[in-house]
Amino acid sequence: MEGFVNWRLLESLSGWNSRKTQEEIAFWDDWAPNWEKRCALETAFTDKQVAALDIRDEDTVLDACCGSGRLTIPLAKMAKRVTALDSSEQMLELCRLKAEGEGLHNIDYLKADWHELTPGQNLSAHDVTVACISPASSDIIKLSKSATRRCHSLSFSKPYAYCNVLADLFSGVNAEWADSDEALRKYQLGPFASRGFDLNVSFNVLYDSGVNPSIGYVRGGWEYESDTFDGLLGHLSGLGTIESGREALFAENVRRHTVRLSNGKLLFRTSTEMYVLSWNPAELDGAALLQFTPPRIPHCHPGPHCHPGPHCHPGPHCHPGPHCHPGPHCHPE
């Protein structure tokens, strides 16, 4: 049913609702080792996210835009078979290596751009689809069509992501983070990174399409434990660059997020929260879906103080307003 607000139209404006360029794919190939460093800091948080998913041992599961397999590996330990889908070969290779190390042989690897796939045509349906901080969540109906039993979409419900961790650690420590507020703009998706344009859009698209989705929240963050403070510094310094003479400032940045545990060890810890949007794709109302097909918007006019994030692709005749700071790999036509 079509409500007072056209949520499908709003969804079509998402910064992730576009095909990947070769430049973007190359970026993620190059970034894969750094992504792994990130994953190593969120093991406990990952366990909580996976525990919030409805996965059965007889399920086939699609991990849409899986990255280096942060969720793929634990999902493969729970399900009959998992498809790891990503456009980056290097991300998939890291996933393969981890699976081999875990002795897992029930993972299929699919190198493809999600936006080039159509469920039921060149993408087989799975029992369950999982999309975590994923471009696949930019079209929640398409995501629904990739599963038969259950879908899960996860992303941040608090405005604190991994880029904020880097900002807290390296603020003033190197040229990239000399102005942390400015630097954050190139990592974030501007208005699309806020609570005003995320879960509420996906939820209402589903609700208007006859689905009764459920929402859960998982708290956690990025953390690292060490016997000594020098151990913390040694590990966390590998996440970025420390310019000569800025070592003391880096240590102070780390100290702000460090606590001593009851066992005497030191824990670097940051906190955030993710939502888990879950639904039964079989509830989709076909008649409601026929009422609206979201168009591509070719004549965008971003307003003042807009901050498009990485990998945005505004259409032709796009005229950003004053003080607009597009992120890297942004190619207005």
Side-chain angles (χ1 to χ4, degrees):
M1 119 184 128
E2 187 170 353
F4 180 74
V5 176
N6 195 325
W7 294 102
R8 283 285 272 166
L9 176 59
L10 290 176
E11 181 190 51
S12 71
L13 303 176
S14 168
W16 267 346
N17 198 14
S18 60
R19 291 173 172 81
K20 288 186 178 294
T21 65
Q22 289 303 311
E23 183 182 9
E24 289 176 300
I25 294 172
F27 170 84
W28 286 112
D29 279 339
D30 292 340
W31 185 253
N34 293 304
W35 189 263
E36 265 303 277
K37 293 177 182 178
R38 164 196 173 143
C39 294
L41 296 179
E42 51 187 312
T43 303
F45 195 17
T46 297
D47 290 343
K48 291 181 180 180
Q49 293 166 38
V50 172
L53 307 179
D54 178 6
I55 306 295
R56 301 173 183 173
D57 56 10
E58 70 270 20
D59 282 334
T60 58
V61 179
L62 172 65
D63 188 359
C65 308
C66 64
S68 62
R70 182 177 67 87
L71 296 182
T72 309
I73 301 303
L75 287 172
K77 296 177 181 179
M78 303 167 64
K80 178 180 180 180
R81 199 153 196 91
V82 176
T83 298
L85 164 66
D86 205 272
S87 60
S88 166
E89 181 58 47
Q90 292 305 310
M91 289 286 194
L92 290 175
E93 181 59 25
L94 287 173
C95 185
R96 287 190 192 96
L97 292 173
K98 288 191 290 188
E100 290 174 3
E102 295 274 0
L104 296 170
H105 305 288
N106 61 334
I107 301 175
D108 299 309
Y109 302 92
L110 177 58
K111 181 182 182 300
D113 181 351
W114 168 261
H115 297 296
E116 300 287 349
L117 300 175
T118 301
Q121 295 184 20
N122 56 353
L123 178 64
S124 300
H126 293 64
D127 297 314
V128 179
T129 293
V130 177
C132 185
I133 323 174
S134 168
S137 295
S138 65
D139 185 340
I140 212 72
I141 299 302
K142 175 180 173 179
L143 187 69
S144 300
K145 293 178 180 179
S146 68
T148 59
R149 189 180 71 79
R150 204 69 182 161
C151 287
H152 300 284
S153 176
L154 300 80
S155 193
F156 295 105
S157 53
K158 296 291 186 183
Y160 192 91
Y162 182 63
C163 55
N164 300 93
V165 178
L166 296 179
D168 286 350
L169 284 173
F170 295 100
S171 178
V173 173
N174 59 44
E176 180 183 11
W177 296 101
D179 183 341
S180 57
D181 289 339
E182 181 68 23
L184 279 172
R185 292 193 182 106
K186 72 179 182 179
Y187 288 97
Q188 296 174 327
L189 294 175
F192 306 122
S194 72
R195 289 171 67 96
F197 198 100
D198 192 10
L199 170 62
N200 57 334
V201 177
S202 297
F203 180 94
N204 282 288
V205 168
L206 290 169
Y207 190 81
D208 283 357
S209 302
V211 178
N212 294 315
S214 62
I215 304 172
Y217 298 93
V218 178
R219 293 182 179 179
W222 297 269
E223 55 188 38
Y224 183 76
E225 186 176 308
S226 177
D227 292 324
T228 66
F229 189 65
D230 284 343
L232 287 181
L233 295 178
H235 184 83
L236 297 173
S237 63
L239 303 178
T241 302
I242 302 174
E243 295 181 359
S244 178
R246 304 292 179 89
E247 294 83 3
L249 179 55
F250 176 71
E252 184 57 32
N253 289 346
V254 172
R255 202 181 304 277
R256 291 193 186 98
H257 292 278
T258 300
V259 296
R260 186 172 293 277
L261 302 174
S262 58
N263 61 6
K265 293 187 176 184
L266 294 172
L267 178 69
F268 169 83
R269 179 170 59 197
T270 60
S271 298
T272 190
E273 182 181 83
M274 295 189 77
Y275 68 77
V276 182
L277 179 65
S278 304
W279 67 99
N280 177 0
E283 292 180 345
L284 285 175
D285 182 347
L289 298 182
L290 292 175
Q291 292 183 15
F292 177 72
T293 300
R296 296 285 179 178
I297 307 300
H299 306 289
C300 64
H301 303 280
H305 313 294
C306 68
H307 306 288
H311 321 302
C312 66
H313 302 280
H317 315 296
C318 185
H319 307 289
H323 313 296
C324 188
H325 306 284
H329 316 300
C330 187
H331 309 288
E333 296 178 329

